[in-house]
C-alpha cells in the first residue's frame, strides 16, 4: 500500500509551509501529495508551486471540479503541469454538488454521471492527440453548434509528456463509483470504512481491474485519549453530513446513511440546519468516526491499520500535518 498526503491549509502567504510539508513527505517515501478544490484556492496552482520544489512525489488534484473547467481547459492545465513535472500529475476529478455547481460556477448539475462520462471521453481524446477533437454529446459539443459557425475541431499543440494522464474519480454513490471503476484509473473515496467497503461497493469492486487505484483519505490522530481524537473527527463529519448540501439533497448524508447510520444522519442534519451545530457534531456516532479514521495511541493505530492493509485500498492518504505522525505512518506502511 502506498501513502498520500493532503496539503491542508496553506499557512502564511508565500507557500513555505506547502513546500516544507511536500519535501518531508517526499523524503519519507510518500507517493502523492493532494491539493483540494472547493470554492477557495484552485487545485493546480499549489501543485505547481510544490512541483517546482520537489523531484519525485506525484501531484494529485483532490478534487478538481469538472464544472469549473471545460474538458479542453482542464486538459491544457493537466498537460502543462504533467509536462513541467516530468509526468507526476494524477488528475482527481468530481462533480461536487448542486450548491457549488449552480451557485458558484453557474453551471447545470442534473445528470452528473452522464456529464462525467462525456467529460472524461473528451479529456482522453485531447490528451491522446490522435487528431482534431470533435464531440457530439448531450452535455458537451465540439465544435459548438450555432454561434458564428466558424468553430472547427482542433488538436492540442503541446505534445504531452505522457499520452495517458491518470484520472481518478472522487465519488461516494455506488453507481458513480462503479462508473469510475469502468472509465477511470482510480477512485478517491470520502468517509470510507475498510470494514464495510466490500459490501457497500460490491459492484465496483467486481469490475475494477488490477491496476485500479483506490486512494482513501483517513484522519490520523495520535492521542492516548481515544474519545478526544474521535471528537476531532466529529467536527468534519458533522459539517459535511449536516451542512454540505440542501435538506433534500446531500450526497454525504446519503453516503453515511448507506453505511448504516441513517437515523444518526437524519438527526445530524436536523440539528445542523436548525442552527444547533454543536449538538449536530455531538450526534455524529463514535463508531463511524473510529471506522473511517486511525485514532488513539500508537499501538492502537498499528492494530487498526491492519484493516486498511487487508482492504482493496492501494493508497492511504494521511489526514495529518504532524511530522511525527507522518513518520509513524511511513514506518508502519512503507
Amino acid at each position: 500500500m502506498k501513502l498520500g498526503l493532503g496539503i491542508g491549509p496553506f499557512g502564511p502567504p508565500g507557500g513555505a509551509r506547502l513546500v516544507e510539508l511536500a519535501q518531508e513527505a517526499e523524503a519519507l517515501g510518500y507517493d502523492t501529495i493532494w491539493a483540494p478544490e472547493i470554492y477557495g484556492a484552485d487545485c493546480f496552482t499549489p501543485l505547481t508551486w510544490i512541483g517546482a520544489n520537489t523531484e519525485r512525489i506525484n501531484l494529485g488534484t483532490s478534487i478538481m471540479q469538472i464544472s469549473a473547467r471545460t474538458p479542453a481547459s482542464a486538459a491544457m492545465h493537466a498537460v502543462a503541469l504533467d509536462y513541467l513535472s516530468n509526468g507526476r500529475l494524477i488528475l482527481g476529478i468530481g462533480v461536487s454538488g448542486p450548491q457549488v455547481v449552480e451557485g458558484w460556477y453557474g453551471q447545470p448539475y442534473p445528470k452528473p454521471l452522464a456529464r462525467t462520462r462525456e467529460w472524461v471521453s473528451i479529456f482522453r481524446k485531447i490528451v491522446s492527440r490522435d487528431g482534431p477533437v470533435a464531440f457530439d454529446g448531450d452535455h458537451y459539443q465540439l465544435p459548438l453548434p450555432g454561434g458564428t459557425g466558424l468553430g472547427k475541431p482542433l488538436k492540442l499543440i503541446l505534445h504531452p509528456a505522457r499520452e495517458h494522464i491518470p484520472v481518478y474519480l472522487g465519488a461516494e454513490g455506488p453507481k458513480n463509483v462503479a462508473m469510475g471503476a469502468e472509465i477511470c484509473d482510480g477512485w478517491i473515496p470520502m468517509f470510507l470504512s475498510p470494514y464495510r467497503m466490500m459490501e457497500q461497493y460490491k459492484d465496483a469492486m467486481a469490475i475494477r481491474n488490477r491496476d485500479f487505484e483506490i486512494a482513501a483519505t483517513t484522519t490520523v490522530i495520535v492521542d492516548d485519549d481515544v474519545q478526544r481524537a474521535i471528537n476531532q473527527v466529529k467536527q468534519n463529519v458533522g459539517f459535511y453530513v449536516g451542512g454540505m448540501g440542501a435538506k433534500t439533497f446531500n450526497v454525504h448524508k446519503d453516503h453515511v446513511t448507506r453505511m448504516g447510520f441513517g437515523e444518526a444522519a437524519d438527526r445530524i442534519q436536523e440539528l445542523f440546519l436548525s442552527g444547533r451545530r454543536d449538538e449536530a457534531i455531538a450526534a455524529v456516532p463514535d463508531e463511524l468516526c473510529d471506522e473511517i479514521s486511525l485514532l488513539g495511541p500508537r499501538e492502537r493505530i498499528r492494530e487498526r491499520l491492519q484493516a486498511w492493509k487487508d482492504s482493496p485500498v492501494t493508497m492511504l492518504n494521511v489526514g495529518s500535518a504532524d511530522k511525527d505522525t507522518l513518520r509513524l505512518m511511513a514506518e508502519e506502511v512503507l
Side-chain angles (χ1 to χ4, degrees), residues 29-54:
Y30 280 62
D31 181 86
T32 305
I33 190 158
W34 300 91
E37 180 172 87
I38 305 176
Y39 41 93
D42 77 289
C43 55
F44 287 106
T45 303
L47 291 178
T48 303
W49 190 260
I50 289 168
N53 290 279
T54 54

PDB file of all heavy atoms in Angstrom, residues 29-54:
ATOM      1  N   GLY A  29       9.058   8.943   1.602  1.00  0.00           N
ATOM      2  CA  GLY A  29       8.633   7.946   0.632  1.00  0.00           C
ATOM      3  C   GLY A  29       7.174   7.979   0.266  1.00  0.00           C
ATOM      4  O   GLY A  29       6.659   7.038  -0.351  1.00  0.00           O
ATOM      5  N   TYR A  30       6.470   9.055   0.636  1.00  0.00           N
ATOM      6  CA  TYR A  30       5.065   9.182   0.247  1.00  0.00           C
ATOM      7  C   TYR A  30       4.957   9.266  -1.274  1.00  0.00           C
ATOM      8  O   TYR A  30       5.807   9.858  -1.940  1.00  0.00           O
ATOM      9  CB  TYR A  30       4.446  10.424   0.888  1.00  0.00           C
ATOM     10  CG  TYR A  30       4.031  10.231   2.336  1.00  0.00           C
ATOM     11  CD1 TYR A  30       4.967   9.915   3.322  1.00  0.00           C
ATOM     12  CD2 TYR A  30       2.708  10.357   2.728  1.00  0.00           C
ATOM     13  CE1 TYR A  30       4.593   9.728   4.647  1.00  0.00           C
ATOM     14  CE2 TYR A  30       2.318  10.176   4.054  1.00  0.00           C
ATOM     15  CZ  TYR A  30       3.274   9.857   5.010  1.00  0.00           C
ATOM     16  OH  TYR A  30       2.887   9.680   6.309  1.00  0.00           O
ATOM     17  N   ASP A  31       3.894   8.686  -1.803  1.00  0.00           N
ATOM     18  CA  ASP A  31       3.728   8.589  -3.250  1.00  0.00           C
ATOM     19  C   ASP A  31       3.161   9.862  -3.871  1.00  0.00           C
ATOM     20  O   ASP A  31       3.598  10.275  -4.941  1.00  0.00           O
ATOM     21  CB  ASP A  31       2.791   7.421  -3.578  1.00  0.00           C
ATOM     22  CG  ASP A  31       2.591   7.232  -5.070  1.00  0.00           C
ATOM     23  OD1 ASP A  31       3.417   6.541  -5.698  1.00  0.00           O
ATOM     24  OD2 ASP A  31       1.607   7.786  -5.623  1.00  0.00           O
ATOM     25  N   THR A  32       2.169  10.472  -3.201  1.00  0.00           N
ATOM     26  CA  THR A  32       1.420  11.578  -3.814  1.00  0.00           C
ATOM     27  C   THR A  32       1.077  12.628  -2.773  1.00  0.00           C
ATOM     28  O   THR A  32       0.781  12.291  -1.619  1.00  0.00           O
ATOM     29  CB  THR A  32       0.108  11.057  -4.445  1.00  0.00           C
ATOM     30  OG1 THR A  32       0.409  10.012  -5.379  1.00  0.00           O
ATOM     31  CG2 THR A  32      -0.643  12.175  -5.168  1.00  0.00           C
ATOM     32  N   ILE A  33       1.107  13.879  -3.180  1.00  0.00           N
ATOM     33  CA  ILE A  33       0.563  14.951  -2.349  1.00  0.00           C
ATOM     34  C   ILE A  33      -0.638  15.519  -3.090  1.00  0.00           C
ATOM     35  O   ILE A  33      -0.598  15.746  -4.303  1.00  0.00           O
ATOM     36  CB  ILE A  33       1.617  16.030  -2.035  1.00  0.00           C
ATOM     37  CG1 ILE A  33       1.087  16.993  -0.969  1.00  0.00           C
ATOM     38  CG2 ILE A  33       2.119  16.754  -3.289  1.00  0.00           C
ATOM     39  CD1 ILE A  33       2.170  17.750  -0.220  1.00  0.00           C
ATOM     40  N   TRP A  34      -1.728  15.729  -2.351  1.00  0.00           N
ATOM     41  CA  TRP A  34      -3.019  16.069  -2.957  1.00  0.00           C
ATOM     42  C   TRP A  34      -3.430  17.486  -2.588  1.00  0.00           C
ATOM     43  O   TRP A  34      -3.309  17.896  -1.436  1.00  0.00           O
ATOM     44  CB  TRP A  34      -4.105  15.111  -2.477  1.00  0.00           C
ATOM     45  CG  TRP A  34      -3.846  13.679  -2.816  1.00  0.00           C
ATOM     46  CD1 TRP A  34      -3.186  12.753  -2.054  1.00  0.00           C
ATOM     47  CD2 TRP A  34      -4.251  12.999  -4.014  1.00  0.00           C
ATOM     48  NE1 TRP A  34      -3.161  11.542  -2.694  1.00  0.00           N
ATOM     49  CE2 TRP A  34      -3.799  11.653  -3.897  1.00  0.00           C
ATOM     50  CE3 TRP A  34      -4.941  13.383  -5.162  1.00  0.00           C
ATOM     51  CZ2 TRP A  34      -4.021  10.702  -4.894  1.00  0.00           C
ATOM     52  CZ3 TRP A  34      -5.168  12.434  -6.148  1.00  0.00           C
ATOM     53  CH2 TRP A  34      -4.711  11.123  -6.013  1.00  0.00           C
ATOM     54  N   ALA A  35      -3.953  18.220  -3.571  1.00  0.00           N
ATOM     55  CA  ALA A  35      -4.456  19.574  -3.342  1.00  0.00           C
ATOM     56  C   ALA A  35      -5.963  19.606  -3.578  1.00  0.00           C
ATOM     57  O   ALA A  35      -6.447  19.122  -4.603  1.00  0.00           O
ATOM     58  CB  ALA A  35      -3.777  20.571  -4.275  1.00  0.00           C
ATOM     59  N   PRO A  36      -6.731  20.197  -2.642  1.00  0.00           N
ATOM     60  CA  PRO A  36      -8.191  20.221  -2.773  1.00  0.00           C
ATOM     61  C   PRO A  36      -8.666  21.400  -3.618  1.00  0.00           C
ATOM     62  O   PRO A  36      -7.890  22.295  -3.975  1.00  0.00           O
ATOM     63  CB  PRO A  36      -8.653  20.382  -1.324  1.00  0.00           C
ATOM     64  CG  PRO A  36      -7.566  21.218  -0.708  1.00  0.00           C
ATOM     65  CD  PRO A  36      -6.289  20.772  -1.358  1.00  0.00           C
ATOM     66  N   GLU A  37      -9.965  21.368  -3.918  1.00  0.00           N
ATOM     67  CA  GLU A  37     -10.603  22.491  -4.611  1.00  0.00           C
ATOM     68  C   GLU A  37     -12.071  22.485  -4.221  1.00  0.00           C
ATOM     69  O   GLU A  37     -12.786  21.522  -4.490  1.00  0.00           O
ATOM     70  CB  GLU A  37     -10.440  22.351  -6.127  1.00  0.00           C
ATOM     71  CG  GLU A  37     -11.080  23.468  -6.927  1.00  0.00           C
ATOM     72  CD  GLU A  37     -10.722  23.381  -8.409  1.00  0.00           C
ATOM     73  OE1 GLU A  37     -11.441  22.666  -9.138  1.00  0.00           O
ATOM     74  OE2 GLU A  37      -9.725  23.999  -8.819  1.00  0.00           O
ATOM     75  N   ILE A  38     -12.509  23.551  -3.556  1.00  0.00           N
ATOM     76  CA  ILE A  38     -13.921  23.644  -3.187  1.00  0.00           C
ATOM     77  C   ILE A  38     -14.451  24.969  -3.747  1.00  0.00           C
ATOM     78  O   ILE A  38     -14.874  25.044  -4.882  1.00  0.00           O
ATOM     79  CB  ILE A  38     -14.130  23.553  -1.657  1.00  0.00           C
ATOM     80  CG1 ILE A  38     -13.473  22.268  -1.112  1.00  0.00           C
ATOM     81  CG2 ILE A  38     -15.615  23.534  -1.316  1.00  0.00           C
ATOM     82  CD1 ILE A  38     -13.530  22.123   0.381  1.00  0.00           C
ATOM     83  N   TYR A  39     -14.373  26.033  -2.967  1.00  0.00           N
ATOM     84  CA  TYR A  39     -14.654  27.368  -3.510  1.00  0.00           C
ATOM     85  C   TYR A  39     -13.707  28.348  -2.835  1.00  0.00           C
ATOM     86  O   TYR A  39     -14.101  29.345  -2.242  1.00  0.00           O
ATOM     87  CB  TYR A  39     -16.130  27.784  -3.377  1.00  0.00           C
ATOM     88  CG  TYR A  39     -16.814  27.429  -2.078  1.00  0.00           C
ATOM     89  CD1 TYR A  39     -16.867  28.325  -1.021  1.00  0.00           C
ATOM     90  CD2 TYR A  39     -17.432  26.198  -1.920  1.00  0.00           C
ATOM     91  CE1 TYR A  39     -17.505  28.005   0.161  1.00  0.00           C
ATOM     92  CE2 TYR A  39     -18.077  25.862  -0.739  1.00  0.00           C
ATOM     93  CZ  TYR A  39     -18.111  26.769   0.299  1.00  0.00           C
ATOM     94  OH  TYR A  39     -18.748  26.443   1.474  1.00  0.00           O
ATOM     95  N   GLY A  40     -12.427  27.989  -2.896  1.00  0.00           N
ATOM     96  CA  GLY A  40     -11.353  28.829  -2.364  1.00  0.00           C
ATOM     97  C   GLY A  40     -10.231  28.859  -3.374  1.00  0.00           C
ATOM     98  O   GLY A  40     -10.405  29.340  -4.494  1.00  0.00           O
ATOM     99  N   ALA A  41      -9.072  28.313  -3.009  1.00  0.00           N
ATOM    100  CA  ALA A  41      -7.961  28.217  -3.951  1.00  0.00           C
ATOM    101  C   ALA A  41      -8.241  27.117  -4.979  1.00  0.00           C
ATOM    102  O   ALA A  41      -8.905  26.130  -4.689  1.00  0.00           O
ATOM    103  CB  ALA A  41      -6.664  27.912  -3.207  1.00  0.00           C
ATOM    104  N   ASP A  42      -7.708  27.299  -6.177  1.00  0.00           N
ATOM    105  CA  ASP A  42      -7.810  26.232  -7.173  1.00  0.00           C
ATOM    106  C   ASP A  42      -6.826  25.123  -6.801  1.00  0.00           C
ATOM    107  O   ASP A  42      -5.974  25.277  -5.915  1.00  0.00           O
ATOM    108  CB  ASP A  42      -7.522  26.768  -8.571  1.00  0.00           C
ATOM    109  CG  ASP A  42      -6.035  26.972  -8.799  1.00  0.00           C
ATOM    110  OD1 ASP A  42      -5.450  27.905  -8.211  1.00  0.00           O
ATOM    111  OD2 ASP A  42      -5.435  26.177  -9.546  1.00  0.00           O
ATOM    112  N   CYS A  43      -6.905  23.991  -7.476  1.00  0.00           N
ATOM    113  CA  CYS A  43      -6.062  22.848  -7.121  1.00  0.00           C
ATOM    114  C   CYS A  43      -4.756  22.788  -7.898  1.00  0.00           C
ATOM    115  O   CYS A  43      -3.811  22.124  -7.461  1.00  0.00           O
ATOM    116  CB  CYS A  43      -6.834  21.542  -7.322  1.00  0.00           C
ATOM    117  SG  CYS A  43      -7.516  21.323  -8.975  1.00  0.00           S
ATOM    118  N   PHE A  44      -4.669  23.477  -9.033  1.00  0.00           N
ATOM    119  CA  PHE A  44      -3.468  23.378  -9.858  1.00  0.00           C
ATOM    120  C   PHE A  44      -2.334  24.290  -9.394  1.00  0.00           C
ATOM    121  O   PHE A  44      -1.165  23.902  -9.436  1.00  0.00           O
ATOM    122  CB  PHE A  44      -3.800  23.693 -11.323  1.00  0.00           C
ATOM    123  CG  PHE A  44      -4.570  22.609 -12.016  1.00  0.00           C
ATOM    124  CD1 PHE A  44      -5.913  22.766 -12.296  1.00  0.00           C
ATOM    125  CD2 PHE A  44      -3.952  21.428 -12.389  1.00  0.00           C
ATOM    126  CE1 PHE A  44      -6.636  21.775 -12.928  1.00  0.00           C
ATOM    127  CE2 PHE A  44      -4.658  20.422 -13.026  1.00  0.00           C
ATOM    128  CZ  PHE A  44      -6.004  20.593 -13.297  1.00  0.00           C
ATOM    129  N   THR A  45      -2.663  25.488  -8.936  1.00  0.00           N
ATOM    130  CA  THR A  45      -1.616  26.440  -8.565  1.00  0.00           C
ATOM    131  C   THR A  45      -0.734  25.935  -7.427  1.00  0.00           C
ATOM    132  O   THR A  45       0.497  25.959  -7.547  1.00  0.00           O
ATOM    133  CB  THR A  45      -2.231  27.807  -8.216  1.00  0.00           C
ATOM    134  OG1 THR A  45      -3.004  28.270  -9.329  1.00  0.00           O
ATOM    135  CG2 THR A  45      -1.148  28.818  -7.887  1.00  0.00           C
ATOM    136  N   PRO A  46      -1.301  25.446  -6.301  1.00  0.00           N
ATOM    137  CA  PRO A  46      -0.418  24.938  -5.246  1.00  0.00           C
ATOM    138  C   PRO A  46       0.406  23.739  -5.679  1.00  0.00           C
ATOM    139  O   PRO A  46       1.547  23.574  -5.250  1.00  0.00           O
ATOM    140  CB  PRO A  46      -1.376  24.585  -4.107  1.00  0.00           C
ATOM    141  CG  PRO A  46      -2.725  24.493  -4.731  1.00  0.00           C
ATOM    142  CD  PRO A  46      -2.722  25.433  -5.877  1.00  0.00           C
ATOM    143  N   LEU A  47      -0.145  22.884  -6.552  1.00  0.00           N
ATOM    144  CA  LEU A  47       0.620  21.738  -7.027  1.00  0.00           C
ATOM    145  C   LEU A  47       1.782  22.170  -7.914  1.00  0.00           C
ATOM    146  O   LEU A  47       2.851  21.546  -7.907  1.00  0.00           O
ATOM    147  CB  LEU A  47      -0.289  20.764  -7.785  1.00  0.00           C
ATOM    148  CG  LEU A  47      -1.322  20.020  -6.940  1.00  0.00           C
ATOM    149  CD1 LEU A  47      -2.179  19.132  -7.822  1.00  0.00           C
ATOM    150  CD2 LEU A  47      -0.658  19.198  -5.842  1.00  0.00           C
ATOM    151  N   THR A  48       1.580  23.228  -8.680  1.00  0.00           N
ATOM    152  CA  THR A  48       2.671  23.760  -9.489  1.00  0.00           C
ATOM    153  C   THR A  48       3.781  24.291  -8.591  1.00  0.00           C
ATOM    154  O   THR A  48       4.980  24.066  -8.832  1.00  0.00           O
ATOM    155  CB  THR A  48       2.151  24.883 -10.411  1.00  0.00           C
ATOM    156  OG1 THR A  48       1.087  24.366 -11.224  1.00  0.00           O
ATOM    157  CG2 THR A  48       3.250  25.411 -11.307  1.00  0.00           C
ATOM    158  N   TRP A  49       3.389  24.987  -7.537  1.00  0.00           N
ATOM    159  CA  TRP A  49       4.343  25.512  -6.550  1.00  0.00           C
ATOM    160  C   TRP A  49       5.130  24.370  -5.911  1.00  0.00           C
ATOM    161  O   TRP A  49       6.358  24.422  -5.788  1.00  0.00           O
ATOM    162  CB  TRP A  49       3.569  26.312  -5.509  1.00  0.00           C
ATOM    163  CG  TRP A  49       4.398  27.118  -4.557  1.00  0.00           C
ATOM    164  CD1 TRP A  49       4.739  26.804  -3.275  1.00  0.00           C
ATOM    165  CD2 TRP A  49       4.983  28.398  -4.824  1.00  0.00           C
ATOM    166  NE1 TRP A  49       5.496  27.808  -2.714  1.00  0.00           N
ATOM    167  CE2 TRP A  49       5.658  28.802  -3.645  1.00  0.00           C
ATOM    168  CE3 TRP A  49       4.998  29.230  -5.936  1.00  0.00           C
ATOM    169  CZ2 TRP A  49       6.346  30.003  -3.551  1.00  0.00           C
ATOM    170  CZ3 TRP A  49       5.680  30.431  -5.846  1.00  0.00           C
ATOM    171  CH2 TRP A  49       6.339  30.812  -4.674  1.00  0.00           C
ATOM    172  N   ILE A  50       4.420  23.325  -5.539  1.00  0.00           N
ATOM    173  CA  ILE A  50       5.057  22.164  -4.914  1.00  0.00           C
ATOM    174  C   ILE A  50       5.940  21.425  -5.917  1.00  0.00           C
ATOM    175  O   ILE A  50       7.067  21.021  -5.614  1.00  0.00           O
ATOM    176  CB  ILE A  50       3.987  21.229  -4.329  1.00  0.00           C
ATOM    177  CG1 ILE A  50       3.336  21.870  -3.100  1.00  0.00           C
ATOM    178  CG2 ILE A  50       4.568  19.863  -3.992  1.00  0.00           C
ATOM    179  CD1 ILE A  50       2.086  21.162  -2.628  1.00  0.00           C
ATOM    180  N   GLY A  51       5.424  21.253  -7.121  1.00  0.00           N
ATOM    181  CA  GLY A  51       6.178  20.521  -8.131  1.00  0.00           C
ATOM    182  C   GLY A  51       7.516  21.155  -8.460  1.00  0.00           C
ATOM    183  O   GLY A  51       8.495  20.461  -8.766  1.00  0.00           O
ATOM    184  N   ALA A  52       7.569  22.487  -8.397  1.00  0.00           N
ATOM    185  CA  ALA A  52       8.816  23.194  -8.689  1.00  0.00           C
ATOM    186  C   ALA A  52       9.842  23.016  -7.582  1.00  0.00           C
ATOM    187  O   ALA A  52      11.031  23.307  -7.786  1.00  0.00           O
ATOM    188  CB  ALA A  52       8.525  24.680  -8.903  1.00  0.00           C
ATOM    189  N   ASN A  53       9.385  22.540  -6.414  1.00  0.00           N
ATOM    190  CA  ASN A  53      10.276  22.410  -5.259  1.00  0.00           C
ATOM    191  C   ASN A  53      10.440  20.963  -4.784  1.00  0.00           C
ATOM    192  O   ASN A  53      10.930  20.724  -3.683  1.00  0.00           O
ATOM    193  CB  ASN A  53       9.749  23.272  -4.107  1.00  0.00           C
ATOM    194  CG  ASN A  53       9.893  24.752  -4.367  1.00  0.00           C
ATOM    195  OD1 ASN A  53      10.955  25.327  -4.177  1.00  0.00           O
ATOM    196  ND2 ASN A  53       8.811  25.381  -4.838  1.00  0.00           N
ATOM    197  N   THR A  54      10.022  20.014  -5.604  1.00  0.00           N
ATOM    198  CA  THR A  54      10.188  18.591  -5.306  1.00  0.00           C
ATOM    199  C   THR A  54      10.663  17.894  -6.571  1.00  0.00           C
ATOM    200  O   THR A  54      10.685  18.484  -7.661  1.00  0.00           O
ATOM    201  CB  THR A  54       8.872  17.961  -4.823  1.00  0.00           C
ATOM    202  OG1 THR A  54       7.833  18.224  -5.790  1.00  0.00           O
ATOM    203  CG2 THR A  54       8.458  18.500  -3.474  1.00  0.00           C
TER     204      THR A  54
END
